[in-house]
Coordinates of all heavy atoms in Angstrom, one line a residue:
M1019 N 0.8 -1.2 0.0 CA 0.0 0.0 0.0 C 0.9 1.3 0.0 O 0.6 2.2 -0.7 CB -0.9 0.0 1.2 CG -2.1 -0.9 1.2 SD -3.0 -0.8 2.7 CE -4.3 -1.9 2.4
A1020 N 2.0 1.2 0.8 CA 2.9 2.4 0.9 C 3.6 2.6 -0.4 O 3.7 3.8 -0.8 CB 3.9 2.2 2.1
K1021 N 4.0 1.6 -1.0 CA 4.7 1.7 -2.3 C 3.8 2.3 -3.4 O 4.2 3.2 -4.1 CB 5.3 0.3 -2.8 CG 6.1 0.4 -4.0 CD 5.4 0.2 -5.3 CE 6.3 0.1 -6.5 NZ 5.6 0.1 -7.8
R1022 N 2.6 1.8 -3.4 CA 1.7 2.3 -4.4 C 1.3 3.7 -4.2 O 1.3 4.6 -5.1 CB 0.4 1.4 -4.4 CG -0.5 1.7 -5.6 CD -1.8 0.9 -5.5 NE -2.7 1.3 -6.5 CZ -3.4 2.4 -6.6 NH1 -3.3 3.3 -5.7 NH2 -4.2 2.6 -7.6
Y1023 N 1.0 4.1 -2.9 CA 0.6 5.4 -2.6 C 1.8 6.4 -2.8 O 1.6 7.5 -3.4 CB 0.1 5.5 -1.1 CG -0.3 6.9 -0.7 CD1 -1.5 7.4 -1.1 CD2 0.6 7.8 -0.1 CE1 -1.9 8.7 -0.8 CE2 0.2 9.1 0.2 CZ -1.1 9.5 -0.2 OH -1.4 10.8 0.1
A1024 N 2.9 6.1 -2.3 CA 4.1 7.0 -2.4 C 4.5 7.3 -3.8 O 4.8 8.4 -4.2 CB 5.3 6.5 -1.6
T1025 N 4.5 6.2 -4.7 CA 4.9 6.4 -6.0 C 3.9 7.2 -6.9 O 4.2 8.0 -7.7 CB 5.3 5.1 -6.7 OG1 4.1 4.2 -6.6 CG2 6.4 4.4 -6.1
E1026 N 2.6 7.0 -6.6 CA 1.5 7.7 -7.3 C 1.6 9.2 -6.8 O 1.5 10.1 -7.7 CB 0.2 7.1 -7.0 CG 0.0 5.7 -7.5 CD -0.3 5.6 -9.0 OE1 -0.5 6.6 -9.6 OE2 -0.2 4.4 -9.5
A1027 N 1.7 9.4 -5.5 CA 1.7 10.8 -5.0 C 2.9 11.5 -5.4 O 2.8 12.7 -5.9 CB 1.6 10.7 -3.5
G1028 N 4.1 10.9 -5.4 CA 5.3 11.6 -5.8 C 5.2 12.0 -7.3 O 5.6 13.1 -7.6
Y1029 N 4.7 11.1 -8.1 CA 4.6 11.4 -9.5 C 3.7 12.5 -9.8 O 3.9 13.4 -10.6 CB 4.2 10.1 -10.3 CG 4.2 10.4 -11.8 CD1 5.4 10.5 -12.5 CD2 3.0 10.7 -12.5 CE1 5.4 10.8 -13.9 CE2 3.0 11.0 -13.8 CZ 4.2 11.1 -14.5 OH 4.2 11.4 -15.8
A1030 N 2.5 12.5 -9.1 CA 1.5 13.5 -9.2 C 2.1 14.9 -8.9 O 1.8 15.9 -9.6 CB 0.3 13.2 -8.4
V1031 N 2.8 15.0 -7.8 CA 3.4 16.2 -7.4 C 4.4 16.7 -8.4 O 4.4 17.9 -8.8 CB 4.2 16.1 -6.0 CG1 5.0 17.3 -5.7 CG2 3.1 15.8 -4.9
A1032 N 5.3 15.8 -8.9 CA 6.3 16.2 -9.9 C 5.6 16.7 -11.2 O 6.0 17.6 -11.9 CB 7.2 15.1 -10.2
D1033 N 4.5 15.9 -11.6 CA 3.8 16.3 -12.8 C 3.2 17.7 -12.7 O 3.2 18.5 -13.6 CB 2.8 15.2 -13.1 CG 2.1 15.4 -14.5 OD1 2.8 15.5 -15.5 OD2 0.9 15.4 -14.5
S1034 N 2.6 17.9 -11.5 CA 2.0 19.3 -11.2 C 3.1 20.4 -11.3 O 2.8 21.5 -11.8 CB 1.4 19.3 -9.9 OG 0.3 18.4 -9.8
A1035 N 4.3 20.1 -10.8 CA 5.4 21.1 -10.8 C 5.7 21.4 -12.3 O 5.9 22.5 -12.6 CB 6.6 20.5 -10.1
L1036 N 5.8 20.3 -13.1 CA 6.1 20.5 -14.5 C 5.0 21.4 -15.2 O 5.3 22.4 -15.9 CB 6.2 19.2 -15.2 CG 6.8 19.2 -16.7 CD1 7.5 17.9 -17.0 CD2 5.8 19.5 -17.7
Q1037 N 3.8 21.0 -14.9 CA 2.6 21.8 -15.5 C 2.7 23.3 -15.1 O 2.4 24.1 -15.9 CB 1.3 21.1 -15.0 CG 0.1 21.7 -15.7 CD -0.1 21.2 -17.1 OE1 0.5 20.3 -17.6 NE2 -0.9 21.9 -17.9
L1038 N 3.0 23.5 -13.8 CA 3.1 24.8 -13.2 C 4.1 25.7 -14.0 O 3.9 26.9 -14.2 CB 3.4 24.8 -11.8 CG 3.4 26.0 -11.0 CD1 2.0 26.5 -10.7 CD2 4.1 25.8 -9.6
H1039 N 5.2 25.0 -14.4 CA 6.2 25.8 -15.1 C 5.9 25.9 -16.6 O 6.7 26.5 -17.4 CB 7.6 25.1 -14.9 CG 8.2 25.4 -13.6 ND1 7.7 24.7 -12.4 CD2 9.1 26.2 -13.1 CE1 8.4 25.1 -11.4 NE2 9.2 26.1 -11.8
G1040 N 4.8 25.3 -17.1 CA 4.5 25.4 -18.5 C 5.5 24.8 -19.4 O 6.1 23.8 -19.0
G1041 N 5.8 25.3 -20.5 CA 6.7 24.8 -21.5 C 8.1 24.7 -20.9 O 8.9 23.8 -21.3
Y1042 N 8.5 25.6 -20.0 CA 9.8 25.6 -19.5 C 10.0 24.3 -18.7 O 11.1 23.8 -18.6 CB 10.1 26.8 -18.6 CG 10.2 28.1 -19.4 CD1 9.2 29.1 -19.2 CD2 11.3 28.3 -20.2 CE1 9.3 30.3 -19.9 CE2 11.4 29.5 -20.9 CZ 10.4 30.5 -20.8 OH 10.5 31.6 -21.5
G1043 N 9.0 23.9 -18.0 CA 9.1 22.7 -17.2 C 9.4 21.4 -18.0 O 10.0 20.5 -17.5
Y1044 N 9.1 21.5 -19.3 CA 9.4 20.3 -20.2 C 10.8 20.3 -20.7 O 11.3 19.3 -21.1 CB 8.4 20.4 -21.4 CG 8.4 19.3 -22.3 CD1 7.9 18.1 -22.0 CD2 9.1 19.4 -23.5 CE1 7.9 17.0 -22.9 CE2 9.1 18.4 -24.4 CZ 8.5 17.2 -24.1 OH 8.5 16.1 -25.0
L1045 N 11.5 21.5 -20.5 CA 12.9 21.6 -21.1 C 13.9 21.0 -20.1 O 13.8 21.1 -18.9 CB 13.2 23.1 -21.3 CG 12.3 23.8 -22.3 CD1 12.8 25.3 -22.4 CD2 12.3 23.2 -23.6
T1046 N 14.9 20.3 -20.7 CA 15.9 19.6 -20.0 C 16.7 20.6 -19.0 O 17.0 20.2 -17.9 CB 17.0 19.0 -20.9 OG1 16.3 18.3 -22.0 CG2 17.9 18.1 -20.2
E1047 N 16.9 21.8 -19.5 CA 17.7 22.8 -18.7 C 17.1 23.1 -17.3 O 17.8 23.4 -16.4 CB 17.7 24.1 -19.5 CG 18.6 24.1 -20.7 CD 17.9 23.5 -21.9 OE1 16.8 23.0 -21.8 OE2 18.5 23.7 -23.0
Y1048 N 15.8 22.9 -17.1 CA 15.2 23.2 -15.8 C 15.2 22.1 -14.9 O 14.9 22.3 -13.7 CB 13.7 23.7 -16.1 CG 13.7 25.2 -16.6 CD1 14.0 25.4 -18.0 CD2 13.5 26.3 -15.8 CE1 14.1 26.7 -18.5 CE2 13.5 27.5 -16.3 CZ 13.8 27.7 -17.7 OH 13.9 29.0 -18.2
G1049 N 15.4 20.9 -15.3 CA 15.6 19.7 -14.4 C 14.3 19.0 -14.0 O 14.4 17.9 -13.4
I1050 N 13.2 19.7 -14.2 CA 11.9 19.1 -13.7 C 11.6 17.8 -14.5 O 11.1 16.8 -13.9 CB 10.8 20.1 -13.7 CG1 11.1 21.3 -12.8 CG2 9.5 19.5 -13.2 CD1 10.2 22.4 -12.8
E1051 N 11.8 17.9 -15.8 CA 11.5 16.7 -16.6 C 12.2 15.5 -16.2 O 11.7 14.4 -16.2 CB 11.6 17.0 -18.1 CG 13.1 17.4 -18.5 CD 14.0 16.3 -18.8 OE1 13.5 15.2 -19.1 OE2 15.2 16.5 -18.6
K1052 N 13.4 15.7 -15.7 CA 14.2 14.5 -15.2 C 13.6 13.9 -13.9 O 13.5 12.7 -13.7 CB 15.7 14.9 -14.9 CG 16.5 13.7 -14.5 CD 18.0 14.1 -14.3 CE 18.9 12.8 -14.1 NZ 18.3 11.8 -13.2
I1053 N 13.1 14.8 -13.0 CA 12.5 14.4 -11.8 C 11.2 13.6 -12.2 O 10.9 12.5 -11.6 CB 12.1 15.6 -10.9 CG1 13.4 16.2 -10.4 CG2 11.3 15.2 -9.7 CD1 13.3 17.5 -9.7
V1054 N 10.4 14.1 -13.2 CA 9.2 13.4 -13.6 C 9.6 12.1 -14.2 O 9.0 11.0 -13.8 CB 8.5 14.3 -14.7 CG1 7.3 13.5 -15.3 CG2 8.0 15.6 -14.0
R1055 N 10.6 12.0 -15.0 CA 11.0 10.7 -15.6 C 11.5 9.7 -14.6 O 11.1 8.6 -14.6 CB 12.1 10.9 -16.7 CG 11.6 11.3 -18.0 CD 12.7 11.2 -19.1 NE 13.7 12.2 -18.9 CZ 15.0 12.0 -18.7 NH1 15.4 10.7 -18.7 NH2 15.9 13.0 -18.5
D1056 N 12.3 10.2 -13.6 CA 12.9 9.4 -12.6 C 11.8 8.8 -11.7 O 11.8 7.7 -11.2 CB 13.9 10.1 -11.8 CG 15.2 10.3 -12.5 OD1 15.3 9.8 -13.6 OD2 16.1 11.1 -12.0
L1057 N 10.7 9.6 -11.4 CA 9.7 9.2 -10.5 C 8.7 8.2 -11.3 O 8.1 7.3 -10.7 CB 8.9 10.4 -9.9 CG 9.6 11.2 -8.9 CD1 8.8 12.4 -8.4 CD2 10.0 10.3 -7.7
R1058 N 8.6 8.5 -12.6 CA 7.6 7.7 -13.4 C 7.9 6.2 -13.3 O 7.0 5.3 -13.2 CB 7.6 8.2 -14.8 CG 6.6 7.4 -15.7 CD 5.2 7.7 -15.3 NE 4.3 7.0 -16.1 CZ 3.9 5.7 -15.9 NH1 4.5 5.0 -15.0 NH2 3.0 5.1 -16.7
V1059 N 9.2 5.8 -13.3 CA 9.6 4.4 -13.4 C 9.3 3.7 -12.1 O 9.1 2.5 -12.1 CB 11.1 4.3 -13.8 CG1 12.0 4.5 -12.6 CG2 11.4 2.9 -14.4
H1060 N 9.1 4.4 -11.0 CA 8.8 3.7 -9.7 C 7.4 3.2 -9.7 O 7.0 2.4 -8.8 CB 9.1 4.7 -8.6 CG 10.6 4.9 -8.4 ND1 11.4 3.9 -7.9 CD2 11.4 5.9 -8.8 CE1 12.7 4.3 -7.9 NE2 12.7 5.5 -8.4
R1061 N 6.5 3.6 -10.7 CA 5.2 3.0 -10.8 C 5.3 1.7 -11.5 O 4.3 1.0 -11.6 CB 4.3 4.0 -11.5 CG 3.9 5.2 -10.6 CD 3.2 6.3 -11.4 NE 2.1 5.9 -12.1 CZ 1.4 6.6 -13.0 NH1 1.8 7.9 -13.2 NH2 0.4 6.2 -13.7
I1062 N 6.5 1.4 -12.0 CA 6.7 0.1 -12.8 C 7.6 -0.8 -12.0 O 7.4 -2.0 -11.9 CB 7.3 0.4 -14.2 CG1 6.3 1.2 -15.0 CG2 7.7 -0.9 -14.9 CD1 6.9 1.8 -16.3
L1063 N 8.7 -0.2 -11.5 CA 9.8 -1.1 -10.8 C 9.2 -1.8 -9.6 O 8.3 -1.3 -8.9 CB 10.9 -0.2 -10.3 CG 11.8 0.4 -11.4 CD1 12.9 1.3 -10.8 CD2 12.5 -0.7 -12.2
E1064 N 9.9 -2.9 -9.2 CA 9.6 -3.6 -8.0 C 8.1 -4.1 -7.9 O 7.5 -4.1 -6.8 CB 9.9 -2.8 -6.7 CG 11.4 -2.3 -6.7 CD 12.4 -3.3 -6.2 OE1 11.9 -4.2 -5.5 OE2 13.5 -3.2 -6.6
G1065 N 7.6 -4.3 -9.1 CA 6.1 -4.7 -9.1 C 5.3 -3.5 -9.5 O 5.4 -2.5 -8.8
T1066 N 4.6 -3.6 -10.7 CA 3.9 -2.4 -11.1 C 2.7 -2.1 -10.2 O 2.3 -2.9 -9.4 CB 3.2 -2.6 -12.5 OG1 2.3 -3.7 -12.4 CG2 4.3 -3.0 -13.6
N1067 N 2.3 -0.8 -10.2 CA 1.2 -0.4 -9.3 C -0.1 -1.1 -9.5 O -0.9 -1.3 -8.6 CB 1.1 1.1 -9.3 CG 2.2 1.8 -8.6 OD1 3.2 1.1 -8.1 ND2 2.1 3.1 -8.4
E1068 N -0.3 -1.6 -10.8 CA -1.5 -2.4 -11.0 C -1.4 -3.7 -10.2 O -2.4 -4.1 -9.7 CB -1.6 -2.7 -12.5 CG -2.1 -1.5 -13.4 CD -0.9 -0.5 -13.7 OE1 0.3 -0.9 -13.5 OE2 -1.2 0.6 -14.1
I1069 N -0.2 -4.3 -10.2 CA -0.1 -5.5 -9.5 C -0.2 -5.3 -8.0 O -0.7 -6.1 -7.2 CB 1.3 -6.2 -9.8 CG1 1.3 -6.6 -11.3 CG2 1.5 -7.4 -9.0 CD1 0.1 -7.6 -11.7
M1070 N 0.4 -4.1 -7.5 CA 0.2 -3.7 -6.1 C -1.3 -3.6 -5.8 O -1.7 -4.1 -4.7 CB 0.8 -2.3 -5.8 CG 2.3 -2.3 -6.0 SD 3.2 -3.3 -4.8 CE 4.1 -4.4 -5.9
S1071 N -2.1 -3.1 -6.7 CA -3.6 -3.0 -6.4 C -4.2 -4.3 -6.3 O -5.0 -4.6 -5.5 CB -4.2 -2.2 -7.6 OG -3.8 -0.9 -7.6
L1072 N -3.7 -5.3 -7.2 CA -4.2 -6.6 -7.2 C -3.9 -7.3 -5.8 O -4.8 -7.9 -5.2 CB -3.5 -7.4 -8.3 CG -4.2 -8.7 -8.8 CD1 -5.5 -8.3 -9.5 CD2 -3.2 -9.3 -9.9
I1073 N -2.6 -7.1 -5.4 CA -2.2 -7.7 -4.1 C -3.0 -7.1 -2.9 O -3.5 -7.9 -2.0 CB -0.7 -7.5 -3.9 CG1 0.1 -8.3 -4.9 CG2 -0.3 -7.9 -2.5 CD1 1.6 -7.9 -5.0
I1074 N -3.2 -5.8 -3.0 CA -4.0 -5.2 -1.9 C -5.4 -5.7 -1.9 O -6.0 -6.0 -0.8 CB -4.0 -3.6 -2.1 CG1 -2.5 -3.1 -1.9 CG2 -4.9 -2.9 -1.1 CD1 -2.3 -1.7 -2.4
A1075 N -6.0 -5.8 -3.1 CA -7.4 -6.2 -3.2 C -7.5 -7.7 -2.7 O -8.5 -8.0 -1.9 CB -7.9 -6.1 -4.6
R1076 N -6.6 -8.5 -3.0 CA -6.6 -9.9 -2.5 C -6.5 -9.9 -1.0 O -7.2 -10.7 -0.4 CB -5.4 -10.7 -3.1 CG -5.7 -11.2 -4.5 CD -4.6 -12.0 -5.1 NE -4.8 -12.3 -6.5 CZ -3.8 -12.6 -7.3 NH1 -2.5 -12.5 -6.9 NH2 -4.1 -12.9 -8.6
G1077 N -5.6 -9.1 -0.5 CA -5.5 -9.0 1.0 C -6.7 -8.6 1.7 O -7.1 -9.1 2.7
L1078 N -7.4 -7.6 1.1 CA -8.6 -7.0 1.7 C -9.8 -7.9 1.6 O -10.6 -8.0 2.5 CB -8.9 -5.6 1.1 CG -8.0 -4.5 1.4 CD1 -8.3 -3.3 0.6 CD2 -7.9 -4.2 2.9
T1079 N -9.9 -8.7 0.5 CA -11.0 -9.5 0.3 C -10.8 -11.0 0.7 O -11.7 -11.7 0.8 CB -11.5 -9.5 -1.2 OG1 -10.4 -10.1 -2.0 CG2 -11.8 -8.1 -1.7
G1080 N -9.5 -11.3 0.9 CA -9.2 -12.7 1.3 C -9.3 -13.6 0.1 O -9.2 -14.8 0.3
A1081 N -9.4 -13.0 -1.1 CA -9.4 -13.9 -2.3 C -8.0 -14.5 -2.6 O -7.0 -13.9 -2.2 CB -9.8 -13.0 -3.5
A1082 N -8.0 -15.7 -3.2 CA -6.7 -16.4 -3.4 C -6.0 -15.7 -4.6 O -6.6 -15.2 -5.5 CB -6.9 -17.8 -3.7
Ligands
FAD485 C1 14.8 0.8 -15.3 C2 14.4 -0.6 -14.9 C3 15.2 -1.3 -14.0 C4 14.8 -2.6 -13.6 N1 15.6 -3.3 -12.8 C5 15.3 -4.6 -12.4 C6 16.2 -5.3 -11.5 O1 17.2 -4.8 -11.1 N2 15.8 -6.6 -11.2 C7 14.7 -7.1 -11.7 O2 14.4 -8.3 -11.3 N3 13.8 -6.5 -12.5 C8 14.1 -5.2 -12.9 N4 13.3 -4.5 -13.7 C9 12.1 -5.1 -14.2 C10 10.8 -4.7 -13.5 O3 10.7 -5.3 -12.2 C11 9.6 -5.0 -14.4 O4 9.7 -4.1 -15.5 C12 8.3 -4.9 -13.6 O5 8.2 -5.8 -12.6 C13 7.1 -5.0 -14.6 O6 7.2 -6.2 -15.3 P1 7.1 -6.1 -16.9 O7 8.0 -5.0 -17.4 O8 7.4 -7.5 -17.4 O9 5.7 -5.6 -17.2 P2 4.4 -6.6 -17.5 O10 4.3 -7.6 -16.4 O11 4.5 -7.1 -18.9 O12 3.2 -5.5 -17.4 C14 2.9 -4.7 -18.5 C15 1.7 -3.9 -18.1 O13 0.6 -4.7 -17.9 C16 0.1 -4.6 -16.5 N5 -0.4 -5.8 -16.0 C17 0.3 -7.0 -16.0 N6 -0.4 -8.0 -15.4 C18 -1.6 -7.4 -14.9 C19 -2.7 -7.8 -14.2 N7 -2.8 -9.1 -13.8 N8 -3.7 -6.9 -13.9 C20 -3.5 -5.6 -14.3 N9 -2.5 -5.1 -15.0 C21 -1.5 -6.0 -15.3 C22 1.3 -4.0 -15.7 O14 0.8 -3.3 -14.6 C23 1.9 -3.1 -16.8 O15 1.2 -1.9 -16.8 C24 13.6 -3.2 -14.1 C25 12.8 -2.4 -15.0 C26 13.1 -1.1 -15.3 C27 12.2 -0.3 -16.2

C-alpha cells in the first residue's frame, strides 16, 4: 500500500510542478522533466502499481 501510494503521490506532485512551469518545465535545462521521468519508473519497478492494487485487493477480500 505504501509503495503504491508514495509512487503515485510523488509522480503527481512532480507532474504538477512541470505543469506549473508550463513549457519551461518540459525543457531539460530546468531539471523538472528529469524528476518526472525518474519518478515515473517507480510506478513500474519492484512490481507495477496495477499488481500492487491486485495484491492489496486480494489481501482486503481474502481472495486467493
Ligand atoms: C529501469 C528498470 C530497471 C529494472 N531493474 C530490475 C532489476 O534490477 N531486477 C529485476 O528483477 N527487474 C528489474 N526491472 C524489471 C521490473 O521489475 C519489471 O519491469 C516490472 O516488474 C514490470 O514487469 P514487466 O516490465 O514485465 O511488465 P508486464 O508484467 O509485462 O506488465 C505490462 C503492463 O501490464 C500490466 N499488468 C500485467 N499484469 C496485470 C494484471 N494481472 N492486472 C492488471 N495489470 C496488469 C502492468 O501493470 C503493466 O502496466 C527493471 C525495470 C526497469 C524499467
Side-chain angles (χ1 to χ4, degrees):
M1019 284 180 180
K1021 186 269 184 186
R1022 188 185 178 287
Y1023 181 80
T1025 56
E1026 296 283 350
Y1029 182 78
V1031 169
D1033 187 52
S1034 294
L1036 191 152
Q1037 187 74 18
L1038 186 71
H1039 285 77
Y1042 290 114
Y1044 186 76
L1045 300 179
T1046 313
E1047 288 83 350
Y1048 286 76
I1050 298 173
E1051 58 82 29
K1052 181 174 189 325
I1053 294 170
V1054 171
R1055 275 190 295 120
D1056 287 351
L1057 288 177
R1058 181 63 181 85
V1059 79
H1060 290 285
R1061 287 166 55 189
I1062 297 171
L1063 288 177
E1064 305 280 338
T1066 66
N1067 284 7
E1068 287 77 16
I1069 296 303
M1070 295 296 121
S1071 297
L1072 202 66
I1073 293 169
I1074 293 164
R1076 280 181 185 155
L1078 290 175
T1079 62

